[in-house]
Amino acid sequence: MTRPDFDEPIQRVGTFCNKWDDMERAYGVSPQDGIAMWVADMDFRPPAAVQRALEAAASHGVYGYPAADPAYPAAIQWWMKNRHGWEIDTGWILTAMGLVNATALAIEAYTAPGDGVVVMSPVYHAFGRVVRASGRELVELPLRIDEAGLYRMDWEGWAAQMTGREKMLILCSPHNPGGRVWSAEELRQTAEFCRAHDLILVSDEIHHDLVMPGHRHTPMPLAAPDIVPRLVMLTAATKTFNIAGAHVGNAIIPDPDLRARFQGRLSALGLSPGMFGTSMVSAAYSPEGAAWVDHLIAYLDENRRIFDAAVNAIPGLRSMPLEATYLAWVDFAGTGMTPDEFKSRVAKGARIAANHGETFGAGGESFMRFNLATPRARVIEAAERLRSAFADLQ
């Protein structure tokens, strides 16, 4: 394959792009002179194989109801085995309209209104949104930060919070926004916690391909095989290959009873995948796609190094060591500023649209999240703008 050009500037303003066209509404930062670093998609084109697949589908010119394409589950099966060492049966795969949709379906399939749904906070904000919208109680278990500046689980403290009303735990693995790659032992402890408290475990592993050099993601069923009877695995190609607009994701459920209950919600709501999304995934989950991801990781790792070095040189700012994802989680607590003060400096001073930490739940109040999946020149510019916006601290 031709080496991908991640430095290519791609104009996304005016393309009905959430990340760029909505940034002024959300943060007061104009796309004309601002930098969009909030929505978690990449400013990169996907592998050429994905574009070829779309062009082939469009060239036919008839877009009727699609039949099930066996290439789609076969591609997922191949990817999980070759990239993650996880052998799955294609019969375990159920397709949702993205992983937020899959999370909402799991909540409806396995819990009832009023039940508690557990998350490790701060965590991906859509979890809390769909839990509350479904009439369930969001139970936030606070992660702690160790001496290395990394998130750690707190089993003893968390056990004291449990009331017996909780029915499900949603795990973000790797963690968003903290970028942790949970160790196999941490995953085993998570599984044991779910067994001890009789919780269904929904493991959202959408970032599992975006792991920095020196770290390795372990799929939950490999870390804790005994958890499989209560495990729902959520995976997708969308984050890996920047095809989130396809709105397609997988619930991979080995247990037949859990799978039947999830399928029941899909059937009740009349949900089925479209032809374009499955074609894109089938093309992406391939040797060409794998080579593209390897180039992507090397590029993101250098963006991470550049951004972290600049941010950590600003007194009072600390970027959490990034083990996975392309999302830098920066703590402003050391500045002594209120959240309104440092958020204003980022938006008005640096003209950067970045996620506000409190939207990720308890423990995120002093943080902001910055998306580094953009051409390197833009990352360097963002770092320089932050230095300038906080120049009085230096």
XYZ file of all heavy atoms in Angstrom, residues 12-13 15-27 29-31 34-44 242 326-327 353-355 370-375 378:
343
model
N -12.606 20.626 6.084
C -13.843 20.024 6.572
C -14.903 21.064 6.908
O -16.062 20.712 7.122
C -13.559 19.144 7.803
C -12.564 18.016 7.533
C -12.417 17.112 8.742
N -13.630 16.343 8.984
C -13.846 15.612 10.073
N -12.941 15.570 11.043
N -14.973 14.930 10.217
N -14.509 22.315 6.964
C -15.475 23.374 7.247
C -16.445 23.489 6.069
O -16.043 23.479 4.905
C -14.766 24.718 7.474
C -15.786 25.836 7.715
C -13.793 24.620 8.654
N -18.776 21.255 5.389
C -19.150 19.919 4.890
C -20.168 19.244 5.814
O -20.328 18.032 5.765
C -17.905 19.022 4.754
O -17.332 18.806 6.053
C -16.856 19.656 3.839
N -20.867 20.038 6.636
C -21.785 19.502 7.644
C -21.055 18.554 8.586
O -21.538 17.485 8.939
C -22.995 18.825 6.986
C -23.781 19.743 6.101
C -23.621 19.708 4.717
C -24.651 20.684 6.649
C -24.321 20.583 3.897
C -25.355 21.555 5.837
C -25.192 21.506 4.447
N -19.880 19.013 8.987
C -19.003 18.255 9.881
C -19.229 18.733 11.311
O -19.006 19.908 11.622
C -17.557 18.463 9.449
S -16.326 18.017 10.668
N -19.654 17.856 12.173
C -19.918 18.202 13.565
C -18.700 18.848 14.230
O -18.800 19.878 14.899
C -20.353 16.941 14.303
C -20.662 17.151 15.776
O -20.433 16.275 16.593
N -21.192 18.311 16.143
N -17.543 18.273 14.018
C -16.327 18.715 14.703
C -15.940 20.143 14.345
O -15.517 20.921 15.226
C -15.183 17.749 14.352
C -13.834 18.055 15.000
C -12.848 16.986 14.578
C -11.469 17.210 15.156
N -10.528 16.158 14.704
N -16.075 20.509 13.089
C -15.655 21.832 12.647
C -16.832 22.802 12.487
O -16.736 23.968 12.856
C -14.874 21.720 11.332
C -13.507 21.163 11.549
C -13.131 19.847 11.537
C -12.331 21.901 11.864
N -11.794 19.712 11.817
C -11.262 20.965 12.014
C -12.055 23.256 12.024
C -9.963 21.354 12.326
C -10.751 23.651 12.323
C -9.726 22.700 12.474
N -17.942 22.351 11.936
C -19.053 23.266 11.663
C -19.870 23.610 12.903
O -20.629 24.585 12.878
C -19.961 22.681 10.578
C -19.293 22.705 9.208
O -18.453 23.592 8.980
O -19.600 21.837 8.367
N -19.744 22.822 13.977
C -20.493 23.106 15.208
C -19.635 23.687 16.325
O -20.110 23.911 17.427
C -21.176 21.827 15.713
C -22.380 21.439 14.875
O -22.830 22.273 14.065
O -22.866 20.305 15.022
N -18.353 23.925 16.067
C -17.463 24.343 17.146
C -17.788 25.750 17.653
O -17.664 26.031 18.847
C -16.000 24.241 16.717
C -15.604 25.143 15.560
S -13.933 24.788 14.932
C -12.903 25.548 16.192
N -18.234 26.640 16.774
C -18.559 27.985 17.226
C -19.805 27.973 18.097
O -19.866 28.666 19.122
C -18.752 28.916 16.039
C -18.854 30.380 16.438
C -18.603 31.324 15.285
O -18.661 30.884 14.112
O -18.340 32.510 15.557
N -20.793 27.185 17.710
C -21.999 27.062 18.535
C -21.664 26.481 19.902
O -22.174 26.950 20.930
C -23.022 26.156 17.832
C -24.248 25.831 18.699
C -25.038 24.680 18.109
N -24.258 23.468 17.945
C -23.921 22.647 18.923
N -24.270 22.920 20.179
N -23.211 21.556 18.672
N -20.815 25.458 19.944
C -20.530 24.749 21.190
C -19.535 25.486 22.086
O -19.662 25.461 23.320
C -20.003 23.343 20.880
N -18.530 26.157 21.486
C -17.449 26.724 22.296
C -17.147 28.189 22.002
O -16.244 28.764 22.619
C -16.164 25.899 22.092
C -16.303 24.493 22.613
C -16.565 23.432 21.738
C -16.206 24.217 23.968
C -16.714 22.133 22.210
C -16.351 22.929 24.450
C -16.614 21.894 23.567
O -16.763 20.623 24.043
N -15.762 29.304 19.353
C -14.506 29.354 18.611
C -14.830 29.263 17.123
O -15.401 28.263 16.670
C -13.559 28.212 19.022
C -12.265 28.268 18.202
C -13.246 28.280 20.515
N -14.458 30.274 16.373
C -14.763 30.286 14.946
C -13.909 29.268 14.200
O -12.691 29.183 14.421
C -14.506 31.676 14.361
O -14.566 31.637 12.944
N -14.499 28.514 13.271
C -13.699 27.583 12.475
C -12.763 28.297 11.507
O -11.868 27.659 10.937
C -14.759 26.760 11.735
C -15.956 27.640 11.661
C -15.936 28.435 12.933
N -9.955 29.093 14.340
C -9.838 28.206 15.492
C -9.345 26.823 15.106
O -9.217 26.483 13.924
N -9.074 26.019 16.131
C -8.638 24.631 15.938
C -9.634 23.732 16.653
O -9.871 23.878 17.857
C -7.222 24.394 16.490
C -6.211 25.311 15.788
C -6.818 22.931 16.318
C -4.792 25.183 16.320
N -10.222 22.802 15.922
C -11.208 21.871 16.492
C -10.491 20.672 17.089
O -9.879 19.883 16.363
C -12.190 21.417 15.413
N -10.578 20.520 18.414
C -9.918 19.403 19.097
C -10.889 18.767 20.086
O -10.487 18.275 21.126
C -8.636 19.881 19.791
C -7.641 20.543 18.867
S -6.063 21.015 19.629
C -5.167 19.455 19.564
N -12.175 18.748 19.751
C -13.167 18.223 20.690
C -13.749 16.898 20.222
O -13.434 15.864 20.790
C -14.234 19.281 20.986
C -15.063 19.810 19.839
C -14.603 20.404 18.705
C -16.483 19.792 19.742
N -15.650 20.771 17.897
C -16.811 20.419 18.504
C -17.517 19.348 20.560
C -18.145 20.574 18.082
C -18.837 19.521 20.132
C -19.137 20.118 18.918
N -14.587 16.880 19.190
C -15.236 15.632 18.752
C -14.178 14.583 18.426
O -13.172 14.871 17.765
C -16.123 15.885 17.530
C -16.698 14.575 16.994
C -17.257 16.845 17.889
N -14.417 13.340 18.865
C -13.419 12.276 18.706
C -13.530 11.601 17.348
O -13.875 10.424 17.220
C -13.553 11.255 19.831
N -13.262 12.395 16.294
C -12.972 11.770 15.009
C -11.680 12.378 14.481
O -11.145 13.344 15.040
C -14.144 11.853 14.022
C -14.437 13.255 13.494
O -13.582 14.165 13.645
O -15.525 13.453 12.938
N -11.134 11.799 13.420
C -9.819 12.198 12.922
C -9.957 13.065 11.678
O -10.882 12.881 10.888
C -8.978 10.951 12.601
C -8.733 10.042 13.797
S -7.561 8.695 13.480
C -8.619 7.477 12.681
N -9.004 13.956 11.492
C -8.957 14.776 10.286
C -8.125 14.079 9.209
O -7.351 14.726 8.496
C -8.379 16.158 10.617
C -9.299 16.963 11.528
O -10.525 16.923 11.321
O -8.787 17.615 12.457
N -8.283 12.769 9.102
C -7.537 11.962 8.145
C -8.505 11.171 7.264
O -9.585 10.785 7.714
C -6.635 10.946 8.863
C -5.712 11.528 9.895
C -5.501 10.856 11.090
C -5.037 12.724 9.675
C -4.641 11.370 12.055
C -4.184 13.253 10.636
C -3.989 12.567 11.827
N -11.714 6.064 11.168
C -12.339 7.363 10.950
C -13.545 7.270 10.015
O -13.684 8.038 9.057
C -11.342 8.387 10.397
C -11.795 9.811 10.667
O -12.426 10.090 11.683
N -11.500 10.723 9.750
N -6.406 8.747 20.878
C -5.696 9.939 20.393
C -6.192 11.169 21.142
O -6.182 12.277 20.623
C -5.880 10.104 18.880
C -7.305 9.964 18.376
C -8.278 10.921 18.645
C -7.671 8.861 17.611
C -9.574 10.783 18.176
C -8.967 8.714 17.121
C -9.910 9.685 17.401
O -11.194 9.550 16.925
N -6.599 10.977 22.405
C -7.261 12.015 23.178
C -6.423 12.375 24.409
O -6.306 11.579 25.342
C -8.652 11.533 23.597
C -9.539 11.094 22.423
C -10.736 10.298 22.924
C -9.979 12.298 21.604
N -11.104 24.693 20.394
C -12.318 24.053 20.900
C -11.934 22.690 21.444
O -11.526 21.805 20.685
C -13.352 23.910 19.786
N -12.009 22.535 22.764
C -11.658 21.273 23.430
C -12.764 20.914 24.415
O -13.463 21.796 24.938
C -10.323 21.406 24.158
N -12.923 19.625 24.676
C -13.991 19.169 25.564
C -13.767 19.622 26.994
O -12.650 19.554 27.520
C -14.082 17.636 25.566
C -14.529 17.079 24.245
O -13.710 16.586 23.473
N -15.823 17.127 23.974
N -8.264 17.019 24.611
C -7.796 17.547 23.334
C -7.577 16.393 22.343
O -6.854 15.436 22.638
C -6.479 18.305 23.513
C -6.585 19.545 24.352
C -6.604 19.461 25.743
C -6.671 20.791 23.767
C -6.695 20.604 26.531
C -6.760 21.946 24.550
C -6.778 21.852 25.925
N -8.161 16.512 21.163
C -8.041 15.499 20.114
C -6.771 15.755 19.303
O -6.635 16.803 18.666
C -9.289 15.568 19.222
C -9.292 14.525 18.119
O -8.274 13.938 17.799
N -10.451 14.325 17.523
N -5.863 14.769 19.304
C -4.577 14.906 18.617
C -4.567 14.260 17.244
O -3.518 14.247 16.579
C -3.468 14.283 19.484
C -3.358 14.796 20.925
C -2.210 14.107 21.633
C -3.208 16.309 20.964
N -5.693 13.736 16.778
C -5.754 13.051 15.480
C -6.014 14.064 14.371
O -7.086 14.119 13.766
C -6.825 11.971 15.495
N -5.018 14.866 14.121
C -5.098 15.945 13.147
C -3.691 16.150 12.604
O -2.712 15.705 13.230
C -5.673 17.211 13.831
O -6.140 18.126 12.841
C -4.662 17.867 14.748
N -3.532 16.769 11.443
C -2.176 16.944 10.905
C -1.224 17.581 11.902
O -1.600 18.457 12.689
C -2.416 17.846 9.681
C -3.766 17.458 9.197
C -4.553 17.214 10.470
N -0.943 21.244 12.792
C -2.019 21.786 13.615
C -1.773 21.493 15.097
O -2.091 22.314 15.969
C -3.352 21.209 13.154
C -4.572 21.907 13.712
C -5.830 21.369 13.067
N -6.016 21.876 11.721
C -6.573 21.193 10.728
N -6.977 19.939 10.920
N -6.729 21.749 9.547
